[in-house]
Amino acid sequence: MRTPPKHVPPARLFRELCCAGRRPRWRVSFAELGLPDLYVYALAGYELEDLLPIGERVSEEHSKVVLDELVVRTLHNLDGSAAFVSVEQLGEARYEDALELTNSALEALNTVSPTYGRSDLTAWEQVLREGAMHPSNATLRRGVIDAAAHLSMTAHFVQQPDRFFGLPLGQLVDAQRIAFDAAWSTRG
């Protein structure tokens, strides 16, 4: 089970995952490779499942194919376009460069892409609650709390993460729902 990264302060982690209008992303520098900075975008749990089903044993050969596909799906230029159009294009890179790209992409993916079934949700929720409560995130936290519909004639509210993120529910990734739920749990 993946746990929250220790090298990222909770307040920043919350801001990265609770971003409106787009998937969470993490900027990665590849200056030493002579490449521009790139973003690694979060994946939804079902997208990871398509590549690597939970509990499935993977041969070493298939593992490389999965890792290459993860890099191609998650690495993007700063303008949002795909950094690689295909696994074949990534395969044209020198082995050392491809290894660096893969390792950096996986580290960033572990930072911005907690998923149901693969992550320690209790640990993520604890860190994200702490991040939501940080004074720098007061407006984001309030936005989450305000993104609810009051059920008439009851004292109940229904979460509306689509309203907060500005995206249809089907386009939200697990990381956004986990961050939203953590912030929602802080309402008084």
Side-chain angles (χ1 to χ4, degrees), residues 1 13 20 24 26 43 47-48 67 77 79 82 113 118 123 132 158 175:
M1 290 286 183
L13 187 61
W26 193 259
L43 292 176
E47 292 169 319
L48 284 171
L67 291 176
N77 294 306
D79 67 4
S113 199
R118 296 176 190 267
V158 176

Side-chain angles (χ1 to χ4, degrees), residues 17-24 42-47 116 159-178 180-181:
L17 300 189
C18 208
C19 57
R22 62 168 170 78
R23 288 179 178 217
L43 292 176
Y46 65 86
E47 292 169 319
Y116 297 107
Q159 296 178 6
Q160 292 186 311
D162 53 328
R163 204 170 133 198
F164 174 79
F165 289 109
L167 297 168
L169 288 173
Q171 290 182 15
L172 296 179
V173 296
D174 301 27
Q176 289 168 309
R177 294 301 299 255
I178 293 166
F180 186 94
D181 289 347

Side-chain angles (χ1 to χ4, degrees), residues 15 35-36 44 51 57 88 103 105-106 122 128 131 136-138 149 158 170 181 185:
R15 280 192 301 277
L35 296 173
L51 291 172
R57 290 198 161 272
E88 290 75 25
N103 289 337
L106 288 177
T122 302
L128 291 170
S136 67
N137 291 329
V158 176
D181 289 347
S185 74

Side-chain angles (χ1 to χ4, degrees), residues 30-63:
F30 293 106
E32 68 241 14
L33 299 179
L35 296 173
D37 286 2
L38 300 171
Y39 282 126
V40 173
Y41 279 83
L43 292 176
Y46 65 86
E47 292 169 319
L48 284 171
E49 185 71 12
D50 286 346
L51 291 172
L52 185 63
I54 293 175
E56 184 176 289
R57 290 198 161 272
V58 178
S59 68
E60 190 172 322
E61 182 179 311
H62 183 64
S63 173

Side-chain angles (χ1 to χ4, degrees), residues 55-121:
E56 184 176 289
R57 290 198 161 272
V58 178
S59 68
E60 190 172 322
E61 182 179 311
H62 183 64
S63 173
K64 178 167 177 13
V65 171
V66 168
L67 291 176
D68 288 350
E69 186 65 35
L70 275 174
V71 170
V72 169
R73 287 189 188 192
T74 61
L75 271 179
H76 292 77
N77 294 306
L78 299 185
D79 67 4
S81 63
F84 296 97
V85 294
S86 66
V87 172
E88 290 75 25
Q89 184 186 19
L90 175 63
E92 293 171 5
R94 288 180 338 122
Y95 173 79
E96 293 80 13
D97 294 348
L99 186 61
E100 177 64 28
L101 286 167
T102 300
N103 289 337
S104 295
L106 288 177
E107 182 179 338
L109 193 61
N110 285 332
T111 300
V112 295
S113 199
T115 56
Y116 297 107
R118 296 176 190 267
S119 301
D120 180 346
L121 294 180

